[in-house]
Amino acid sequence: MSPARTPRYTVPGLGVDEGRQVIDLLTLRLHALNDLALTLKHIHWNVVGPHFIAVHEMLDPQTAAVRDMADAAAERISALGGEPQGTPGVLVKERTWDDYSVGRADAIAHLGALDLVYTGIIEDHRAAVEKAGEIDPVTEDLLIEHLRGLEQFQWFVRAHLESSSGTLSNAGADTEEAAAAAAQKRTAAKRTPAKKTALPAPAKTAAKKAPAKKTAKKTANRRTTR
C-alpha cells in the first residue's frame, strides 16, 4: 500500500505526521472492510444447499453492518485531514490479499471459507488497534468497536461449523478452498446414514412341533347347534 501524503492539518492534539500514520492504518482497514462487504454479498448471491435460506438471510445484516464500519473508517480518515479512497481500482491496487476464491457452492462450504476471511480481517484489525493505541486513542476505540461486531459475526459463522464437542469442521485448513472442502466433507459425512447390518437368519427349530393333545371330549369346544 502506498503511504498517505502528510495532511495539511489533523485533529487537535495530534501532529500532522501522527495524523498521517493513523490515516495509513485506517486506509488499509477501509479497503479490508469494503472488500469484506463485497465478499459477503458474493456469498449471499452464490450460496446453495439445505442451509441456503439460513445463510442467505444471515449475511445481509452482516453486510449492512460492515458497510457502516467502512463508512466510519472513511469519515475518520477525513476528520484526520486525509482523503479516503473507496474506488474498486484503488482497493485492488493497494490490498494485500487475493479475491475470495469460492464461487457457487454449498452453504456450509462457503461458511468454512468465510471463517478464514473473518480470521484474517480480525487479526489485521487487532494489529491496527495496537498501533493506533500508541498514537490516537479515538481511532483505537473506533477499531475496537469494529472488532466487537466482526468477532460476533465470526461466531455466527462458526456456530454452523462447530460440533457438539467444540471442534470446527474446517480446523487446520489454511486456504479458502481447503476450508470449504473440509467443512462440506464433514457435514456430508454427518448426513450419510449408517449402513444397516444384516440381521442373522433365525435358527431352524431342531425339533418339530409336538402335535396338540387330543381332548377326551371332542365336542367340548364346539358351538352347539339346534
Side-chain angles (χ1 to χ4, degrees):
M1 185 190 76
S2 57
R5 63 177 175 80
T6 301
R8 293 179 180 273
Y9 69 91
T10 193
V11 294
L14 290 183
V16 290
D17 186 60
E18 290 173 318
R20 180 191 58 76
Q21 293 178 56
V22 179
I23 291 168
D24 277 343
L25 282 175
L26 284 173
T27 295
L28 199 54
R29 295 298 83 223
L30 174 60
H31 292 337
L33 291 166
N34 279 332
D35 186 87
L36 176 60
L38 291 170
T39 297
L40 290 168
K41 262 303 180 185
H42 168 82
I43 297 172
H44 174 83
W45 295 324
N46 286 286
V47 65
V48 296
H51 302 283
F52 161 76
I53 197 64
V55 175
H56 181 78
E57 292 187 349
M58 179 183 74
L59 295 181
D60 261 346
Q62 294 190 19
T63 304
V66 170
R67 283 174 174 165
D68 285 343
M69 293 177 194
D71 189 53
E75 290 180 353
R76 183 61 184 164
I77 291 172
S78 291
L80 288 160
E83 183 180 345
Q85 300 292 320
T87 61
V90 175
L91 165 59
V92 172
K93 179 182 177 182
E94 297 187 352
R95 69 184 178 181
T96 58
W97 56 91
D98 296 325
D99 262 342
Y100 183 73
S101 55
V102 181
R104 192 171 183 81
D106 182 85
I108 298 300
H110 269 301
L111 293 179
L114 181 57
D115 177 45
L116 264 63
V117 173
Y118 269 121
T119 293
I121 193 171
I122 288 169
E123 287 177 347
D124 289 346
H125 248 63
R126 282 184 168 272
V129 164
E130 187 174 354
K131 292 178 182 177
E134 299 171 359
I135 308 168
D136 178 24
V138 177
T139 297
E140 176 189 31
D141 182 66
L142 173 67
L143 295 174
I144 289 172
E145 187 62 31
H146 288 177
L147 280 168
R148 288 191 184 96
L150 294 170
E151 290 177 0
Q152 183 186 55
F153 296 156
Q154 187 178 37
W155 169 46
F156 292 168
V157 169
R158 286 181 165 181
H160 291 79
L161 304 172
E162 187 177 2
S163 69
S164 58
S165 63
T167 303
L168 295 175
S169 59
N170 63 343
D174 56 2
T175 67
E176 291 163 1
E177 294 94 335
Q184 188 169 21
K185 182 178 179 181
R186 294 186 191 180
T187 302
K190 289 179 184 177
R191 289 190 200 139
T192 305
K195 291 183 179 179
K196 292 182 178 179
T197 305
L199 295 174
K204 293 182 178 179
T205 307
K208 292 182 180 180
K209 280 186 178 182
K213 291 181 180 180
K214 293 182 180 180
T215 53
K217 295 183 179 179
K218 293 182 180 180
T219 59
N221 295 321
R222 292 180 183 175
R223 184 175 297 170
T224 303
T225 57
R226 292 183 185 257

